[in-house]
Amino acid sequence: HSPTTPVNTSGTSVVMSGVDVTPADALRTCHAIIFYYINILLVSTVVDSYKLAERMVSVCASSSDINFLYSLYGYLQTSNHLDTLLRIDSPALESWLKDVKRDQPGLLWRYYVVHGKNSLAGDVMWKRACTANVNVGLDERMECLTRAINSFSASLEGENTTTLTGRRITTANSFATQQASFSRDEIERIITQINEQLDVAALQKRTLTTIAQSHNVDLDDSKIYNLSHSLISVSDLYNDYAAPLNLCDICLLILQTCHHNDQSTIATLWRSILCEEILPCQTHSTSVQSFLNSLKSNSMLEDESVILLNGNDSNGMGHIFENGDWIAKLKNRVISLGKELYGKGADYTFPLDLLVESLEGLRHAFDSSAASTDRRYVASSSPWPLQALLEVGVSFPEILNAFDKMLDTLHMDVVGAVTAKRLQHLSSIVDVLTQWIIAASTFSHRTVDLPGDTFDGMSSLVTNKYAENAANQLSRAAFSGGLMPRIDAYKVSLESLVDGNANEISQILSSLNNVEEAIKRLVMK
């Protein structure tokens, strides 16, 4: 009678007869029989069958027949036993993964992870991420960088520390597998380098997303492909993409990542961001037109128009400044970008002095112009520039210092020509002090009798930690002997404005007296 028909590695029947049978056929048949029983044992639910299967795999994997070994590895991979395959501790399997399966580097990475060779695993992923001239998308490259960081970081805890180490399937040549050759210092340098690459790759992805969402970006296909299928250097990302396309947010984030303090460029980028949310526009006020023209003169939007209207009719050239629909958008953009830039070790990319001057200038320009065109309009008691800066995470003392610098600059100008501006800035300083005291009193659970004791528009900021920080900052400022003399200096500055609005001066002076008394009650017992 004829023997049972054998099965090959793919599971199909192998029909052989007479002189058609060759030694190679016989060898494949023997392999198929072994693989068949390995599979039966691996999928069996009988107790101890899996252990027997692993012993059988261990014996087979100890063979010196490289062709048999490669057949075994291929069978285990294609028959849903990849976990078993990767637990085989063998230099032959390592070579097979490197050479035969080099187009699937994830397998070699998993193999090294399973065997606790974390630095080798990290090296595999790092090389995959950085390999040029291969069709690997940006997302996959970023995933490889992340895996590389995780693997190298794990290696700092020591090689062979994986939880899977105890489940290795040993072979006769287990100890001949490749060992890690990275020193601790090398690994730490590599992790730093990969983190920097990942930061740049994240900005590259953001640039790609911005371009995809834009309808007026003219970029040739080769540049788009490079952006989406390679890791671009930070200088190329800035010079070939972000800067030419006027992606101001990306430019600032690149400068932050590179720790490049180019104050002139940073100022230009921020002015451009502010102008992007406002221009082109129309206004009823010559003073607003003058302020906006000054703001855009040092930006990348110098050609955008600021149209002065005659009467109440709009000519359709942009929105009307006095409508104020730009305020929320501008505030949100400053907050969003500011949170990414500020407090990350490169605060110069969030130029506080410039932003205080520009945002306060916009606030007062809007309040004065809106009030002059609508008698029913009352200037908002909610200082939105201050709210934005606080939400970014800037402390009260830093904000107050920026306002002081702005006030000092006005003191150097011609007396009389800037009286109104001084009053505006002193009024803004009162806003800063008032909100500071309110925040501190929230932590100390004490009541202060100050206007604006509502945290209007700032409810998201009123947390225990925020209030505690404000209270501690206020205590330090008061007890250091610096805050109270500053308040006295504000009063002197007010009293020197002989040509100012008497009612306004009186109101600000009264507010400063209230602030002074509130500070004494809160922190100077």
Side-chain angles (χ1 to χ4, degrees), residues 340-362:
E340 293 186 271
L341 296 172
Y342 189 77
K344 305 296 192 301
D347 288 351
Y348 47 80
T349 56
F350 190 79
L352 190 57
D353 295 347
L354 171 67
L355 289 170
V356 165
E357 180 182 3
S358 301
L359 295 176
E360 279 294 308
L362 287 167

Side-chain angles (χ1 to χ4, degrees), residues 91-121:
L93 174 56
E94 189 176 8
S95 296
W96 182 78
L97 293 171
K98 287 181 178 179
D99 301 331
V100 180
K101 296 296 176 180
R102 59 182 174 273
D103 61 331
Q104 301 177 46
L107 291 177
L108 183 60
W109 169 74
R110 289 180 60 184
Y111 171 80
Y112 285 140
V113 170
V114 166
H115 294 278
K117 298 178 179 181
N118 295 305
S119 59
L120 292 175

Side-chain angles (χ1 to χ4, degrees), residues 5 11 32 40-41 57 88 134 137 167 173 248 254 275 303 312 321 333 341 366 381 398 414 443 495:
T5 302
I40 291 296
L41 291 171
V57 170
I88 298 173
V134 292
R167 296 177 55 203
N173 299 315
C248 300
I254 289 175
C275 290
D303 295 333
N312 295 321
F321 180 84
R333 187 168 178 187
L341 296 172
F366 171 75
S381 61
E398 290 174 303
V414 179
F443 176 71
E495 292 167 348

